[in-house]
PDB file of all heavy atoms in Angstrom:
ATOM      1  N   SER A  22       4.078  24.051  -5.419  1.00 95.00           N
ATOM      2  CA  SER A  22       2.672  24.454  -5.451  1.00 95.00           C
ATOM      3  C   SER A  22       2.384  25.320  -6.678  1.00 95.00           C
ATOM      4  O   SER A  22       1.416  25.091  -7.401  1.00 95.00           O
ATOM      5  CB  SER A  22       2.322  25.219  -4.174  1.00 95.00           C
ATOM      6  OG  SER A  22       1.018  25.758  -4.266  1.00 95.00           O
ATOM      7  N   ASN A  26      -0.047  24.267  -9.880  1.00 91.00           N
ATOM      8  CA  ASN A  26      -1.222  25.076 -10.194  1.00 91.00           C
ATOM      9  C   ASN A  26      -1.020  25.962 -11.427  1.00 91.00           C
ATOM     10  O   ASN A  26      -1.847  26.828 -11.713  1.00 91.00           O
ATOM     11  CB  ASN A  26      -1.591  25.956  -8.994  1.00 91.00           C
ATOM     12  CG  ASN A  26      -2.133  25.132  -7.848  1.00 91.00           C
ATOM     13  OD1 ASN A  26      -3.170  24.489  -7.971  1.00 91.00           O
ATOM     14  ND2 ASN A  26      -1.410  25.129  -6.736  1.00 91.00           N
ATOM     15  N   LYS A  60      -7.648  25.924   2.685  1.00 96.00           N
ATOM     16  CA  LYS A  60      -6.853  27.135   2.483  1.00 96.00           C
ATOM     17  C   LYS A  60      -7.551  28.131   1.554  1.00 96.00           C
ATOM     18  O   LYS A  60      -7.543  29.339   1.816  1.00 96.00           O
ATOM     19  CB  LYS A  60      -5.503  26.733   1.894  1.00 96.00           C
ATOM     20  CG  LYS A  60      -4.546  27.878   1.688  1.00 96.00           C
ATOM     21  CD  LYS A  60      -4.189  28.530   3.004  1.00 96.00           C
ATOM     22  CE  LYS A  60      -3.499  29.871   2.777  1.00 96.00           C
ATOM     23  NZ  LYS A  60      -3.427  30.651   4.013  1.00 96.00           N
TER      24      LYS A  60
ATOM     25  P    DC C  10      -0.708  18.073  -0.284  1.00 79.39           P
ATOM     26  OP1  DC C  10      -0.844  16.854  -1.045  1.00 79.39           O
ATOM     27  OP2  DC C  10       0.640  18.583   0.042  1.00 79.39           O
ATOM     28  O5'  DC C  10      -1.546  19.206  -1.044  1.00 79.39           O
ATOM     29  C5'  DC C  10      -1.010  20.484  -1.213  1.00 79.39           C
ATOM     30  C4'  DC C  10      -1.992  21.502  -0.667  1.00 79.39           C
ATOM     31  O4'  DC C  10      -1.806  21.574   0.754  1.00 79.39           O
ATOM     32  C3'  DC C  10      -1.723  22.903  -1.179  1.00 79.39           C
ATOM     33  O3'  DC C  10      -2.533  23.109  -2.325  1.00 79.39           O
ATOM     34  C2'  DC C  10      -2.107  23.800  -0.029  1.00 79.39           C
ATOM     35  C1'  DC C  10      -2.004  22.907   1.196  1.00 79.39           C
ATOM     36  N1   DC C  10      -0.907  23.244   2.131  1.00 79.39           N
ATOM     37  C2   DC C  10      -1.022  24.376   2.924  1.00 79.39           C
ATOM     38  O2   DC C  10      -2.022  25.098   2.808  1.00 79.39           O
ATOM     39  N3   DC C  10      -0.039  24.673   3.814  1.00 79.39           N
ATOM     40  C4   DC C  10       1.022  23.868   3.911  1.00 79.39           C
ATOM     41  N4   DC C  10       1.961  24.186   4.809  1.00 79.39           N
ATOM     42  C5   DC C  10       1.171  22.705   3.102  1.00 79.39           C
ATOM     43  C6   DC C  10       0.200  22.440   2.235  1.00 79.39           C
ATOM     44  P    DT C  11      -2.090  24.208  -3.381  1.00 79.39           P
ATOM     45  OP1  DT C  11      -3.078  24.149  -4.473  1.00 79.39           O
ATOM     46  OP2  DT C  11      -0.644  24.047  -3.649  1.00 79.39           O
ATOM     47  O5'  DT C  11      -2.272  25.571  -2.577  1.00 79.39           O
ATOM     48  C5'  DT C  11      -3.587  26.030  -2.294  1.00 79.39           C
ATOM     49  C4'  DT C  11      -3.500  27.410  -1.689  1.00 79.39           C
ATOM     50  O4'  DT C  11      -2.614  27.390  -0.536  1.00 79.39           O
ATOM     51  C3'  DT C  11      -2.950  28.480  -2.631  1.00 79.39           C
ATOM     52  O3'  DT C  11      -3.738  29.637  -2.404  1.00 79.39           O
ATOM     53  C2'  DT C  11      -1.506  28.677  -2.157  1.00 79.39           C
ATOM     54  C1'  DT C  11      -1.638  28.410  -0.666  1.00 79.39           C
ATOM     55  N1   DT C  11      -0.439  27.900   0.071  1.00 79.39           N
ATOM     56  C2   DT C  11      -0.046  28.547   1.211  1.00 79.39           C
ATOM     57  O2   DT C  11      -0.611  29.531   1.644  1.00 79.39           O
ATOM     58  N3   DT C  11       1.042  27.994   1.844  1.00 79.39           N
ATOM     59  C4   DT C  11       1.755  26.877   1.459  1.00 79.39           C
ATOM     60  O4   DT C  11       2.705  26.473   2.118  1.00 79.39           O
ATOM     61  C5   DT C  11       1.297  26.236   0.240  1.00 79.39           C
ATOM     62  C7   DT C  11       1.994  25.020  -0.263  1.00 79.39           C
ATOM     63  C6   DT C  11       0.235  26.770  -0.393  1.00 79.39           C
ATOM     64  P    DT C  12      -3.837  30.785  -3.476  1.00 79.39           P
ATOM     65  OP1  DT C  12      -5.249  31.201  -3.489  1.00 79.39           O
ATOM     66  OP2  DT C  12      -3.155  30.363  -4.704  1.00 79.39           O
ATOM     67  O5'  DT C  12      -2.972  31.931  -2.811  1.00 79.39           O
ATOM     68  C5'  DT C  12      -3.222  32.301  -1.464  1.00 79.39           C
ATOM     69  C4'  DT C  12      -2.120  33.223  -1.003  1.00 79.39           C
ATOM     70  O4'  DT C  12      -1.042  32.441  -0.431  1.00 79.39           O
ATOM     71  C3'  DT C  12      -1.487  34.055  -2.127  1.00 79.39           C
ATOM     72  O3'  DT C  12      -1.185  35.332  -1.603  1.00 79.39           O
ATOM     73  C2'  DT C  12      -0.186  33.311  -2.418  1.00 79.39           C
ATOM     74  C1'  DT C  12       0.171  32.881  -0.997  1.00 79.39           C
ATOM     75  N1   DT C  12       1.134  31.764  -0.856  1.00 79.39           N
ATOM     76  C2   DT C  12       1.818  31.676   0.324  1.00 79.39           C
ATOM     77  O2   DT C  12       1.682  32.456   1.233  1.00 79.39           O
ATOM     78  N3   DT C  12       2.692  30.619   0.396  1.00 79.39           N
ATOM     79  C4   DT C  12       2.940  29.666  -0.586  1.00 79.39           C
ATOM     80  O4   DT C  12       3.744  28.763  -0.403  1.00 79.39           O
ATOM     81  C5   DT C  12       2.172  29.821  -1.799  1.00 79.39           C
ATOM     82  C7   DT C  12       2.362  28.857  -2.931  1.00 79.39           C
ATOM     83  C6   DT C  12       1.321  30.859  -1.882  1.00 79.39           C
TER      84       DT C  12
END
Side-chain angles (χ1 to χ4, degrees):
Chain A
S22 173
N26 290 297
K60 183 63 193 167

